[in-house]
Amino acid sequence: VVDGTTGFTCATVDDAVAARLLASSFAEIETSATEQKAQQIYQAFNTDLRQLAISTRDYAQWDSAADYVTGSNPTFLVGNFTRETLSSMHVDLVCIVDRDGNELYSGYYDAHADKVVEPAPATMLADLRRVMRIDPALDESQPVERLLHSSSGPVAFTAKEIRRTDLSGPTGAVMLFARYIDADDIERISDTLRMRVGLDALGANYEPAPSAG
């Protein structure tokens, strides 16, 4: 899959199947040990990306966000998606769309320039457009299963319907947070597991379910 030590790829499947996929390029005698390492890597990435899901939920299920998309809180964006905020949450891209899919806000944290680009680059938004929607099945999946190939590399994402803090008042609007998987992420996982983790390609060709409408 990646190198002679261990590898990682993503699929919207359970841990056991993911491990078998990861181990496919190794000799049969190494299969058991390889699968164990693959499962460790899968779980480590899942844990690492769980914070992205938590951050998305916290921002999307918030009275201030619900008021923003309904037009009664125009100052919501001020101070909420700054370079300091996005950097501390390890969030690279934010996008908010209304119930019809129209963009209300987007921003990309450019770590090299240490600034937030608003709106986010069109190519990045286009890569994520198909998952900027309410999808209960995907919402229940593991964080590591919400990964896509993109023109900027593998990207993890979480999309949540914007609601009030008490989960009432569904707006139909969606907030999406995304993180691009890079060398820093791989190094963090390697340090956590105390093993070398290589990365050739990471992603899943996720296709959202047809709209009920």
Side-chain angles (χ1 to χ4, degrees):
V1 172
V2 180
D3 56 42
T5 306
T6 183
F8 180 80
T9 187
C10 171
T12 52
V13 291
D14 61 29
D15 294 8
V17 176
R20 286 196 294 273
L21 290 171
L22 293 165
S24 62
S25 64
F26 294 84
E28 183 176 351
I29 193 171
E30 299 175 316
T31 296
S32 179
T34 299
E35 289 196 3
Q36 184 177 14
K37 289 181 180 179
Q39 288 184 14
Q40 287 180 307
I41 295 169
Y42 182 96
Q43 292 295 345
F45 266 97
N46 198 52
T47 299
D48 190 63
L49 294 176
R50 186 168 287 119
Q51 187 57 50
L52 181 69
I54 293 171
S55 297
T56 311
R57 180 200 63 198
D58 289 348
Y59 271 74
Q61 296 173 358
W62 187 16
D63 289 344
S64 295
D67 289 340
Y68 167 69
V69 298
T70 56
S72 58
N73 185 8
T75 63
F76 171 72
L77 299 178
V78 179
N80 276 314
F81 300 127
T82 65
R83 61 187 178 83
E84 294 88 357
T85 301
L86 297 182
S87 175
S88 66
M89 294 191 297
H90 300 290
V91 171
D92 296 317
L93 185 145
V94 177
C95 187
I96 300 173
V97 297
D98 65 17
R99 63 171 60 249
D100 298 316
N102 300 309
E103 183 180 320
L104 299 178
Y105 170 80
S106 68
Y108 167 67
Y109 174 59
D110 184 338
H112 296 292
D114 194 26
K115 68 177 183 179
V116 178
V117 178
E118 300 173 339
T123 53
M124 291 182 169
L125 294 174
D127 290 333
L128 291 161
R129 178 61 62 179
R130 70 183 188 271
V131 295
M132 291 182 194
R133 56 180 293 173
I134 300 168
D135 187 329
L138 189 65
D139 196 44
E140 294 177 2
S141 64
Q142 293 296 315
V144 77
E145 294 171 0
R146 295 190 287 270
L147 289 149
L148 294 173
H149 282 303
S150 79
S151 57
S152 300
V155 57
F157 68 92
T158 298
K160 289 279 189 182
E161 181 179 16
I162 296 176
R163 292 173 173 259
R164 305 201 69 78
T165 305
D166 63 5
L167 303 184
S168 65
T171 64
V174 173
M175 183 180 294
L176 178 142
F177 281 9
R179 183 200 298 176
Y180 292 90
I181 307 300
D182 57 20
D184 289 340
D185 295 291
I186 304 306
E187 182 177 359
R188 187 165 57 251
I189 297 302
S190 296
D191 290 344
T192 298
L193 295 177
R194 297 182 179 180
M195 68 172 69
R196 185 165 64 92
V197 177
L199 180 66
D200 253 357
L202 174 65
N205 295 318
Y206 168 71
E207 293 295 341
S211 173

PDB file of all heavy atoms in Angstrom, residues 38-72:
ATOM      1  N   ALA A  38      -2.077  -1.905  10.909  1.00  0.00           N
ATOM      2  CA  ALA A  38      -3.023  -1.131  10.113  1.00  0.00           C
ATOM      3  C   ALA A  38      -4.193  -0.656  10.966  1.00  0.00           C
ATOM      4  O   ALA A  38      -4.646   0.488  10.856  1.00  0.00           O
ATOM      5  CB  ALA A  38      -3.529  -1.963   8.943  1.00  0.00           C
ATOM      6  N   GLN A  39      -4.677  -1.545  11.826  1.00  0.00           N
ATOM      7  CA  GLN A  39      -5.780  -1.166  12.701  1.00  0.00           C
ATOM      8  C   GLN A  39      -5.344  -0.092  13.690  1.00  0.00           C
ATOM      9  O   GLN A  39      -6.114   0.820  14.006  1.00  0.00           O
ATOM     10  CB  GLN A  39      -6.301  -2.400  13.447  1.00  0.00           C
ATOM     11  CG  GLN A  39      -7.068  -3.361  12.545  1.00  0.00           C
ATOM     12  CD  GLN A  39      -7.653  -4.527  13.318  1.00  0.00           C
ATOM     13  OE1 GLN A  39      -7.716  -4.503  14.540  1.00  0.00           O
ATOM     14  NE2 GLN A  39      -8.081  -5.553  12.595  1.00  0.00           N
ATOM     15  N   GLN A  40      -4.099  -0.164  14.162  1.00  0.00           N
ATOM     16  CA  GLN A  40      -3.581   0.856  15.068  1.00  0.00           C
ATOM     17  C   GLN A  40      -3.546   2.221  14.367  1.00  0.00           C
ATOM     18  O   GLN A  40      -3.924   3.238  14.953  1.00  0.00           O
ATOM     19  CB  GLN A  40      -2.175   0.492  15.542  1.00  0.00           C
ATOM     20  CG  GLN A  40      -2.118  -0.655  16.537  1.00  0.00           C
ATOM     21  CD  GLN A  40      -0.695  -0.957  16.949  1.00  0.00           C
ATOM     22  OE1 GLN A  40       0.189  -1.176  16.110  1.00  0.00           O
ATOM     23  NE2 GLN A  40      -0.441  -0.966  18.244  1.00  0.00           N
ATOM     24  N   ILE A  41      -3.110   2.220  13.116  1.00  0.00           N
ATOM     25  CA  ILE A  41      -3.028   3.476  12.368  1.00  0.00           C
ATOM     26  C   ILE A  41      -4.421   4.016  12.092  1.00  0.00           C
ATOM     27  O   ILE A  41      -4.685   5.219  12.232  1.00  0.00           O
ATOM     28  CB  ILE A  41      -2.259   3.254  11.047  1.00  0.00           C
ATOM     29  CG1 ILE A  41      -0.808   2.867  11.352  1.00  0.00           C
ATOM     30  CG2 ILE A  41      -2.290   4.515  10.185  1.00  0.00           C
ATOM     31  CD1 ILE A  41      -0.041   2.377  10.154  1.00  0.00           C
ATOM     32  N   TYR A  42      -5.333   3.114  11.709  1.00  0.00           N
ATOM     33  CA  TYR A  42      -6.712   3.516  11.449  1.00  0.00           C
ATOM     34  C   TYR A  42      -7.307   4.180  12.683  1.00  0.00           C
ATOM     35  O   TYR A  42      -7.908   5.261  12.614  1.00  0.00           O
ATOM     36  CB  TYR A  42      -7.518   2.277  11.054  1.00  0.00           C
ATOM     37  CG  TYR A  42      -8.972   2.535  10.711  1.00  0.00           C
ATOM     38  CD1 TYR A  42      -9.375   2.712   9.394  1.00  0.00           C
ATOM     39  CD2 TYR A  42      -9.950   2.564  11.711  1.00  0.00           C
ATOM     40  CE1 TYR A  42     -10.704   2.930   9.068  1.00  0.00           C
ATOM     41  CE2 TYR A  42     -11.284   2.783  11.403  1.00  0.00           C
ATOM     42  CZ  TYR A  42     -11.658   2.966  10.079  1.00  0.00           C
ATOM     43  OH  TYR A  42     -12.975   3.181   9.773  1.00  0.00           O
ATOM     44  N   GLN A  43      -7.136   3.554  13.835  1.00  0.00           N
ATOM     45  CA  GLN A  43      -7.690   4.081  15.068  1.00  0.00           C
ATOM     46  C   GLN A  43      -7.017   5.387  15.473  1.00  0.00           C
ATOM     47  O   GLN A  43      -7.667   6.300  15.999  1.00  0.00           O
ATOM     48  CB  GLN A  43      -7.570   3.050  16.196  1.00  0.00           C
ATOM     49  CG  GLN A  43      -8.435   1.817  16.016  1.00  0.00           C
ATOM     50  CD  GLN A  43      -9.927   2.149  16.061  1.00  0.00           C
ATOM     51  OE1 GLN A  43     -10.326   3.216  16.488  1.00  0.00           O
ATOM     52  NE2 GLN A  43     -10.746   1.219  15.599  1.00  0.00           N
ATOM     53  N   ALA A  44      -5.710   5.495  15.225  1.00  0.00           N
ATOM     54  CA  ALA A  44      -4.991   6.719  15.583  1.00  0.00           C
ATOM     55  C   ALA A  44      -5.481   7.895  14.749  1.00  0.00           C
ATOM     56  O   ALA A  44      -5.687   8.997  15.268  1.00  0.00           O
ATOM     57  CB  ALA A  44      -3.488   6.516  15.380  1.00  0.00           C
ATOM     58  N   PHE A  45      -5.685   7.673  13.451  1.00  0.00           N
ATOM     59  CA  PHE A  45      -6.218   8.736  12.605  1.00  0.00           C
ATOM     60  C   PHE A  45      -7.647   9.085  13.019  1.00  0.00           C
ATOM     61  O   PHE A  45      -8.045  10.254  13.019  1.00  0.00           O
ATOM     62  CB  PHE A  45      -6.191   8.320  11.132  1.00  0.00           C
ATOM     63  CG  PHE A  45      -4.969   8.779  10.404  1.00  0.00           C
ATOM     64  CD1 PHE A  45      -3.893   7.930  10.240  1.00  0.00           C
ATOM     65  CD2 PHE A  45      -4.886  10.057   9.883  1.00  0.00           C
ATOM     66  CE1 PHE A  45      -2.753   8.346   9.582  1.00  0.00           C
ATOM     67  CE2 PHE A  45      -3.755  10.482   9.227  1.00  0.00           C
ATOM     68  CZ  PHE A  45      -2.677   9.626   9.066  1.00  0.00           C
ATOM     69  N   ASN A  46      -8.414   8.080  13.368  1.00  0.00           N
ATOM     70  CA  ASN A  46      -9.796   8.313  13.768  1.00  0.00           C
ATOM     71  C   ASN A  46      -9.845   9.197  15.016  1.00  0.00           C
ATOM     72  O   ASN A  46     -10.642  10.139  15.105  1.00  0.00           O
ATOM     73  CB  ASN A  46     -10.495   6.987  14.040  1.00  0.00           C
ATOM     74  CG  ASN A  46     -12.005   7.101  14.023  1.00  0.00           C
ATOM     75  OD1 ASN A  46     -12.590   7.622  13.081  1.00  0.00           O
ATOM     76  ND2 ASN A  46     -12.652   6.622  15.063  1.00  0.00           N
ATOM     77  N   THR A  47      -8.976   8.910  15.969  1.00  0.00           N
ATOM     78  CA  THR A  47      -8.913   9.706  17.190  1.00  0.00           C
ATOM     79  C   THR A  47      -8.454  11.123  16.886  1.00  0.00           C
ATOM     80  O   THR A  47      -9.003  12.103  17.410  1.00  0.00           O
ATOM     81  CB  THR A  47      -7.955   9.057  18.203  1.00  0.00           C
ATOM     82  OG1 THR A  47      -8.439   7.750  18.536  1.00  0.00           O
ATOM     83  CG2 THR A  47      -7.837   9.890  19.469  1.00  0.00           C
ATOM     84  N   ASP A  48      -7.460  11.249  16.026  1.00  0.00           N
ATOM     85  CA  ASP A  48      -6.914  12.559  15.682  1.00  0.00           C
ATOM     86  C   ASP A  48      -7.960  13.437  14.992  1.00  0.00           C
ATOM     87  O   ASP A  48      -8.047  14.634  15.250  1.00  0.00           O
ATOM     88  CB  ASP A  48      -5.701  12.385  14.768  1.00  0.00           C
ATOM     89  CG  ASP A  48      -4.942  13.681  14.572  1.00  0.00           C
ATOM     90  OD1 ASP A  48      -4.414  14.211  15.568  1.00  0.00           O
ATOM     91  OD2 ASP A  48      -4.872  14.174  13.429  1.00  0.00           O
ATOM     92  N   LEU A  49      -8.786  12.824  14.137  1.00  0.00           N
ATOM     93  CA  LEU A  49      -9.778  13.590  13.379  1.00  0.00           C
ATOM     94  C   LEU A  49     -11.076  13.809  14.155  1.00  0.00           C
ATOM     95  O   LEU A  49     -11.930  14.584  13.717  1.00  0.00           O
ATOM     96  CB  LEU A  49     -10.080  12.875  12.061  1.00  0.00           C
ATOM     97  CG  LEU A  49      -8.918  12.817  11.065  1.00  0.00           C
ATOM     98  CD1 LEU A  49      -9.313  12.001   9.846  1.00  0.00           C
ATOM     99  CD2 LEU A  49      -8.497  14.223  10.648  1.00  0.00           C
ATOM    100  N   ARG A  50     -11.236  13.133  15.290  1.00  0.00           N
ATOM    101  CA  ARG A  50     -12.465  13.308  16.059  1.00  0.00           C
ATOM    102  C   ARG A  50     -12.640  14.751  16.527  1.00  0.00           C
ATOM    103  O   ARG A  50     -13.760  15.239  16.633  1.00  0.00           O
ATOM    104  CB  ARG A  50     -12.474  12.337  17.249  1.00  0.00           C
ATOM    105  CG  ARG A  50     -13.791  12.355  18.035  1.00  0.00           C
ATOM    106  CD  ARG A  50     -13.881  11.190  18.996  1.00  0.00           C
ATOM    107  NE  ARG A  50     -14.106   9.931  18.282  1.00  0.00           N
ATOM    108  CZ  ARG A  50     -13.287   8.897  18.297  1.00  0.00           C
ATOM    109  NH1 ARG A  50     -12.175   8.951  18.991  1.00  0.00           N
ATOM    110  NH2 ARG A  50     -13.562   7.799  17.620  1.00  0.00           N
ATOM    111  N   GLN A  51     -11.528  15.435  16.789  1.00  0.00           N
ATOM    112  CA  GLN A  51     -11.632  16.824  17.233  1.00  0.00           C
ATOM    113  C   GLN A  51     -12.237  17.709  16.151  1.00  0.00           C
ATOM    114  O   GLN A  51     -12.947  18.678  16.464  1.00  0.00           O
ATOM    115  CB  GLN A  51     -10.255  17.356  17.638  1.00  0.00           C
ATOM    116  CG  GLN A  51     -10.308  18.746  18.262  1.00  0.00           C
ATOM    117  CD  GLN A  51     -11.218  18.803  19.473  1.00  0.00           C
ATOM    118  OE1 GLN A  51     -11.111  17.969  20.381  1.00  0.00           O
ATOM    119  NE2 GLN A  51     -12.126  19.779  19.514  1.00  0.00           N
ATOM    120  N   LEU A  52     -11.984  17.377  14.892  1.00  0.00           N
ATOM    121  CA  LEU A  52     -12.593  18.144  13.798  1.00  0.00           C
ATOM    122  C   LEU A  52     -14.105  18.020  13.852  1.00  0.00           C
ATOM    123  O   LEU A  52     -14.833  19.016  13.685  1.00  0.00           O
ATOM    124  CB  LEU A  52     -12.073  17.634  12.447  1.00  0.00           C
ATOM    125  CG  LEU A  52     -12.606  18.347  11.193  1.00  0.00           C
ATOM    126  CD1 LEU A  52     -12.063  19.769  11.114  1.00  0.00           C
ATOM    127  CD2 LEU A  52     -12.219  17.566   9.930  1.00  0.00           C
ATOM    128  N   ALA A  53     -14.595  16.820  14.105  1.00  0.00           N
ATOM    129  CA  ALA A  53     -16.035  16.592  14.206  1.00  0.00           C
ATOM    130  C   ALA A  53     -16.624  17.327  15.401  1.00  0.00           C
ATOM    131  O   ALA A  53     -17.720  17.906  15.318  1.00  0.00           O
ATOM    132  CB  ALA A  53     -16.322  15.097  14.303  1.00  0.00           C
ATOM    133  N   ILE A  54     -15.901  17.319  16.518  1.00  0.00           N
ATOM    134  CA  ILE A  54     -16.379  17.995  17.725  1.00  0.00           C
ATOM    135  C   ILE A  54     -16.465  19.499  17.501  1.00  0.00           C
ATOM    136  O   ILE A  54     -17.455  20.152  17.869  1.00  0.00           O
ATOM    137  CB  ILE A  54     -15.465  17.673  18.920  1.00  0.00           C
ATOM    138  CG1 ILE A  54     -15.582  16.198  19.302  1.00  0.00           C
ATOM    139  CG2 ILE A  54     -15.795  18.556  20.118  1.00  0.00           C
ATOM    140  CD1 ILE A  54     -14.569  15.736  20.336  1.00  0.00           C
ATOM    141  N   SER A  55     -15.438  20.065  16.874  1.00  0.00           N
ATOM    142  CA  SER A  55     -15.432  21.506  16.613  1.00  0.00           C
ATOM    143  C   SER A  55     -16.580  21.903  15.685  1.00  0.00           C
ATOM    144  O   SER A  55     -17.251  22.921  15.916  1.00  0.00           O
ATOM    145  CB  SER A  55     -14.097  21.924  15.994  1.00  0.00           C
ATOM    146  OG  SER A  55     -13.020  21.692  16.877  1.00  0.00           O
ATOM    147  N   THR A  56     -16.820  21.098  14.653  1.00  0.00           N
ATOM    148  CA  THR A  56     -17.919  21.390  13.732  1.00  0.00           C
ATOM    149  C   THR A  56     -19.251  21.362  14.455  1.00  0.00           C
ATOM    150  O   THR A  56     -20.091  22.257  14.292  1.00  0.00           O
ATOM    151  CB  THR A  56     -17.941  20.372  12.581  1.00  0.00           C
ATOM    152  OG1 THR A  56     -16.633  20.235  12.029  1.00  0.00           O
ATOM    153  CG2 THR A  56     -18.896  20.821  11.479  1.00  0.00           C
ATOM    154  N   ARG A  57     -19.444  20.340  15.268  1.00  0.00           N
ATOM    155  CA  ARG A  57     -20.696  20.223  16.027  1.00  0.00           C
ATOM    156  C   ARG A  57     -20.890  21.415  16.945  1.00  0.00           C
ATOM    157  O   ARG A  57     -21.984  21.985  17.024  1.00  0.00           O
ATOM    158  CB  ARG A  57     -20.675  18.930  16.839  1.00  0.00           C
ATOM    159  CG  ARG A  57     -21.936  18.690  17.672  1.00  0.00           C
ATOM    160  CD  ARG A  57     -21.652  17.702  18.795  1.00  0.00           C
ATOM    161  NE  ARG A  57     -20.663  18.231  19.728  1.00  0.00           N
ATOM    162  CZ  ARG A  57     -19.977  17.479  20.583  1.00  0.00           C
ATOM    163  NH1 ARG A  57     -20.151  16.162  20.604  1.00  0.00           N
ATOM    164  NH2 ARG A  57     -19.101  18.042  21.417  1.00  0.00           N
ATOM    165  N   ASP A  58     -19.820  21.802  17.659  1.00  0.00           N
ATOM    166  CA  ASP A  58     -19.940  22.896  18.614  1.00  0.00           C
ATOM    167  C   ASP A  58     -20.330  24.206  17.933  1.00  0.00           C
ATOM    168  O   ASP A  58     -21.090  25.008  18.496  1.00  0.00           O
ATOM    169  CB  ASP A  58     -18.625  23.079  19.380  1.00  0.00           C
ATOM    170  CG  ASP A  58     -18.347  21.950  20.361  1.00  0.00           C
ATOM    171  OD1 ASP A  58     -19.271  21.149  20.614  1.00  0.00           O
ATOM    172  OD2 ASP A  58     -17.217  21.869  20.858  1.00  0.00           O
ATOM    173  N   TYR A  59     -19.811  24.435  16.751  1.00  0.00           N
ATOM    174  CA  TYR A  59     -20.123  25.678  16.032  1.00  0.00           C
ATOM    175  C   TYR A  59     -21.475  25.616  15.330  1.00  0.00           C
ATOM    176  O   TYR A  59     -22.185  26.621  15.247  1.00  0.00           O
ATOM    177  CB  TYR A  59     -19.024  25.991  15.011  1.00  0.00           C
ATOM    178  CG  TYR A  59     -17.895  26.815  15.575  1.00  0.00           C
ATOM    179  CD1 TYR A  59     -16.957  26.242  16.430  1.00  0.00           C
ATOM    180  CD2 TYR A  59     -17.767  28.160  15.264  1.00  0.00           C
ATOM    181  CE1 TYR A  59     -15.924  26.988  16.957  1.00  0.00           C
ATOM    182  CE2 TYR A  59     -16.731  28.918  15.787  1.00  0.00           C
ATOM    183  CZ  TYR A  59     -15.806  28.334  16.634  1.00  0.00           C
ATOM    184  OH  TYR A  59     -14.774  29.084  17.167  1.00  0.00           O
ATOM    185  N   ALA A  60     -21.830  24.448  14.814  1.00  0.00           N
ATOM    186  CA  ALA A  60     -23.081  24.331  14.054  1.00  0.00           C
ATOM    187  C   ALA A  60     -24.304  24.268  14.963  1.00  0.00           C
ATOM    188  O   ALA A  60     -25.374  24.783  14.613  1.00  0.00           O
ATOM    189  CB  ALA A  60     -23.041  23.103  13.155  1.00  0.00           C
ATOM    190  N   GLN A  61     -24.146  23.639  16.121  1.00  0.00           N
ATOM    191  CA  GLN A  61     -25.270  23.516  17.054  1.00  0.00           C
ATOM    192  C   GLN A  61     -25.126  24.608  18.119  1.00  0.00           C
ATOM    193  O   GLN A  61     -24.786  24.355  19.272  1.00  0.00           O
ATOM    194  CB  GLN A  61     -25.284  22.116  17.666  1.00  0.00           C
ATOM    195  CG  GLN A  61     -25.515  21.038  16.628  1.00  0.00           C
ATOM    196  CD  GLN A  61     -25.369  19.627  17.153  1.00  0.00           C
ATOM    197  OE1 GLN A  61     -25.042  19.409  18.319  1.00  0.00           O
ATOM    198  NE2 GLN A  61     -25.613  18.647  16.304  1.00  0.00           N
ATOM    199  N   TRP A  62     -25.422  25.819  17.691  1.00  0.00           N
ATOM    200  CA  TRP A  62     -25.147  26.996  18.509  1.00  0.00           C
ATOM    201  C   TRP A  62     -26.170  28.072  18.164  1.00  0.00           C
ATOM    202  O   TRP A  62     -26.408  28.357  16.991  1.00  0.00           O
ATOM    203  CB  TRP A  62     -23.721  27.465  18.223  1.00  0.00           C
ATOM    204  CG  TRP A  62     -23.197  28.562  19.086  1.00  0.00           C
ATOM    205  CD1 TRP A  62     -23.693  28.991  20.268  1.00  0.00           C
ATOM    206  CD2 TRP A  62     -22.028  29.353  18.808  1.00  0.00           C
ATOM    207  NE1 TRP A  62     -22.922  30.014  20.760  1.00  0.00           N
ATOM    208  CE2 TRP A  62     -21.903  30.257  19.896  1.00  0.00           C
ATOM    209  CE3 TRP A  62     -21.103  29.383  17.774  1.00  0.00           C
ATOM    210  CZ2 TRP A  62     -20.864  31.186  19.957  1.00  0.00           C
ATOM    211  CZ3 TRP A  62     -20.070  30.304  17.830  1.00  0.00           C
ATOM    212  CH2 TRP A  62     -19.952  31.197  18.906  1.00  0.00           C
ATOM    213  N   ASP A  63     -26.757  28.667  19.176  1.00  0.00           N
ATOM    214  CA  ASP A  63     -27.758  29.709  18.944  1.00  0.00           C
ATOM    215  C   ASP A  63     -27.228  30.813  18.029  1.00  0.00           C
ATOM    216  O   ASP A  63     -27.948  31.298  17.144  1.00  0.00           O
ATOM    217  CB  ASP A  63     -28.205  30.327  20.271  1.00  0.00           C
ATOM    218  CG  ASP A  63     -29.063  29.386  21.111  1.00  0.00           C
ATOM    219  OD1 ASP A  63     -29.561  28.382  20.551  1.00  0.00           O
ATOM    220  OD2 ASP A  63     -29.230  29.648  22.311  1.00  0.00           O
ATOM    221  N   SER A  64     -25.987  31.226  18.242  1.00  0.00           N
ATOM    222  CA  SER A  64     -25.412  32.311  17.446  1.00  0.00           C
ATOM    223  C   SER A  64     -25.349  31.963  15.967  1.00  0.00           C
ATOM    224  O   SER A  64     -25.615  32.805  15.103  1.00  0.00           O
ATOM    225  CB  SER A  64     -24.016  32.661  17.961  1.00  0.00           C
ATOM    226  OG  SER A  64     -24.073  33.181  19.274  1.00  0.00           O
ATOM    227  N   ALA A  65     -25.004  30.695  15.663  1.00  0.00           N
ATOM    228  CA  ALA A  65     -24.939  30.261  14.268  1.00  0.00           C
ATOM    229  C   ALA A  65     -26.332  30.192  13.662  1.00  0.00           C
ATOM    230  O   ALA A  65     -26.545  30.603  12.504  1.00  0.00           O
ATOM    231  CB  ALA A  65     -24.250  28.901  14.167  1.00  0.00           C
ATOM    232  N   ALA A  66     -27.295  29.683  14.432  1.00  0.00           N
ATOM    233  CA  ALA A  66     -28.670  29.601  13.939  1.00  0.00           C
ATOM    234  C   ALA A  66     -29.228  30.992  13.682  1.00  0.00           C
ATOM    235  O   ALA A  66     -29.918  31.230  12.666  1.00  0.00           O
ATOM    236  CB  ALA A  66     -29.537  28.851  14.952  1.00  0.00           C
ATOM    237  N   ASP A  67     -28.913  31.924  14.554  1.00  0.00           N
ATOM    238  CA  ASP A  67     -29.375  33.295  14.355  1.00  0.00           C
ATOM    239  C   ASP A  67     -28.719  33.916  13.116  1.00  0.00           C
ATOM    240  O   ASP A  67     -29.348  34.695  12.390  1.00  0.00           O
ATOM    241  CB  ASP A  67     -29.057  34.147  15.584  1.00  0.00           C
ATOM    242  CG  ASP A  67     -29.926  33.790  16.784  1.00  0.00           C
ATOM    243  OD1 ASP A  67     -30.993  33.181  16.577  1.00  0.00           O
ATOM    244  OD2 ASP A  67     -29.527  34.119  17.918  1.00  0.00           O
ATOM    245  N   TYR A  68     -27.462  33.563  12.876  1.00  0.00           N
ATOM    246  CA  TYR A  68     -26.761  34.102  11.696  1.00  0.00           C
ATOM    247  C   TYR A  68     -27.439  33.672  10.398  1.00  0.00           C
ATOM    248  O   TYR A  68     -27.705  34.507   9.518  1.00  0.00           O
ATOM    249  CB  TYR A  68     -25.303  33.642  11.700  1.00  0.00           C
ATOM    250  CG  TYR A  68     -24.599  33.874  10.384  1.00  0.00           C
ATOM    251  CD1 TYR A  68     -24.308  35.156   9.940  1.00  0.00           C
ATOM    252  CD2 TYR A  68     -24.238  32.791   9.572  1.00  0.00           C
ATOM    253  CE1 TYR A  68     -23.676  35.366   8.718  1.00  0.00           C
ATOM    254  CE2 TYR A  68     -23.602  32.993   8.365  1.00  0.00           C
ATOM    255  CZ  TYR A  68     -23.327  34.287   7.936  1.00  0.00           C
ATOM    256  OH  TYR A  68     -22.705  34.485   6.726  1.00  0.00           O
ATOM    257  N   VAL A  69     -27.737  32.383  10.257  1.00  0.00           N
ATOM    258  CA  VAL A  69     -28.301  31.915   8.987  1.00  0.00           C
ATOM    259  C   VAL A  69     -29.756  32.339   8.803  1.00  0.00           C
ATOM    260  O   VAL A  69     -30.269  32.331   7.683  1.00  0.00           O
ATOM    261  CB  VAL A  69     -28.172  30.376   8.835  1.00  0.00           C
ATOM    262  CG1 VAL A  69     -26.711  29.962   8.826  1.00  0.00           C
ATOM    263  CG2 VAL A  69     -28.938  29.644   9.925  1.00  0.00           C
ATOM    264  N   THR A  70     -30.419  32.723   9.892  1.00  0.00           N
ATOM    265  CA  THR A  70     -31.790  33.220   9.767  1.00  0.00           C
ATOM    266  C   THR A  70     -31.824  34.741   9.673  1.00  0.00           C
ATOM    267  O   THR A  70     -32.901  35.337   9.600  1.00  0.00           O
ATOM    268  CB  THR A  70     -32.660  32.761  10.955  1.00  0.00           C
ATOM    269  OG1 THR A  70     -32.055  33.190  12.188  1.00  0.00           O
ATOM    270  CG2 THR A  70     -32.803  31.247  10.951  1.00  0.00           C
ATOM    271  N   GLY A  71     -30.640  35.359   9.696  1.00  0.00           N
ATOM    272  CA  GLY A  71     -30.556  36.795   9.461  1.00  0.00           C
ATOM    273  C   GLY A  71     -30.617  37.683  10.675  1.00  0.00           C
ATOM    274  O   GLY A  71     -30.594  38.919  10.547  1.00  0.00           O
ATOM    275  N   SER A  72     -30.668  37.108  11.873  1.00  0.00           N
ATOM    276  CA  SER A  72     -30.804  37.937  13.066  1.00  0.00           C
ATOM    277  C   SER A  72     -29.502  38.127  13.845  1.00  0.00           C
ATOM    278  O   SER A  72     -29.511  38.682  14.945  1.00  0.00           O
ATOM    279  CB  SER A  72     -31.869  37.340  13.999  1.00  0.00           C
ATOM    280  OG  SER A  72     -31.538  36.009  14.363  1.00  0.00           O
TER     281      SER A  72
END
